[in-house]
Amino acid sequence: MSNGIRLVLLGRQGAGKGTQAVRLADHYDVPHISTGDMLRAAVKDGTEFGLKAKAVMDAGGLVSDEIMVGVVHERLHQADATSRGYILDGFPRTEAQARALAEITADSPLEVVLNLEVPEAVVVERITKRRVCRSCGRIYSVDSPPAKDWICDTDGGDVVQRDDDTEDAVRKRLELYAAETLPLVAFYSEAGQLVDVDGLGSADEVFDRVVEGISARRAG
Ligand code: ADP
């Protein structure tokens, strides 16, 4: 078995973070920790927190740093993550979250921050075509649907468009990405932790590049 990994994925909405995160989690045998998936699970459970988060998410806004830092802190301290590591997807999204993450991981620092690069014009088209399994989160596209009637190939769940993949919410999320999250690329680059990967091409092609980039970083 491989040694696991402690990795953060950066990239704008629609860059393919979720798709690559699932493959990376399988490859390195570590949990895929997606803050978006965790929030959507809370929404589905109908908790008070979930309802509040849903309003923010549907408008394309960001849930507060304080709440997100608490959620991630708790998750990274669970046994699977402390023993083997994790693929962290959707966090950090602001400089405050990045600083908090450095504290959370002080004893066991991040090994790689992977930046998946895809131009804005490309991601807008990808997001509007994106469809997601309501129960397991598997990602499809109108160009590559499940085998049967928008029923998930993995678990038979309904495959639908996300409530926050509307044009308005997407535009707002991309603006927030540019303002709040893009500065983290420079932050991690200065810290010597960044690996840039071209996110254009098929999911398989991108995955090969990603694993190569990670191996080169770990070797060097
Ligand atoms: P995307 O990257 O396509 O916007 P995600 O599934 O990662 O999708 O996140 C969906 C929504 O969940 C975000 O638009 C935001 O409202 C909320 N969210 C997820 N992660 C964070 C975070 N680290 N900080 C604040 N809000 C978050």
Side-chain angles (χ1 to χ4, degrees), residues 197-216:
V197 172
D198 176 4
L200 288 175
S202 73
D204 286 344
E205 284 163 359
V206 175
F207 184 67
D208 289 346
R209 265 179 235 145
V210 163
V211 170
E212 232 172 75
I214 293 169
S215 300

Side-chain angles (χ1 to χ4, degrees), residues 13 35 39-40 61 63 68 90 93 97 130 162 173:
Q13 288 74 10
T35 48
L39 290 170
R40 281 185 288 276
V63 175
M68 294 313 303
R93 249 183 170 82
Q97 291 181 9
R130 172 160 73 183
R162 263 168 49 174
R173 279 152 60 208

Side-chain angles (χ1 to χ4, degrees), residues 11-15 17-18 34-40 53-65 67-69 72 89-94 97 127 130 162 164-165 169-170 172-174 176-177 181:
R12 52 170 59 89
Q13 288 74 10
K17 291 193 300 291
S34 156
T35 48
D37 286 351
M38 290 165 84
L39 290 170
R40 281 185 288 276
K54 179 166 172 45
V56 174
M57 291 163 77
D58 285 356
L62 288 177
V63 175
S64 80
D65 286 337
I67 288 174
M68 294 313 303
V69 168
V72 169
D89 162 15
F91 186 99
R93 249 183 170 82
T94 65
Q97 291 181 9
I127 299 174
R130 172 160 73 183
R162 263 168 49 174
D164 61 347
D165 279 350
V170 168
K172 170 109 184 272
R173 279 152 60 208
L174 286 168
L176 273 174
Y177 182 83
T181 313

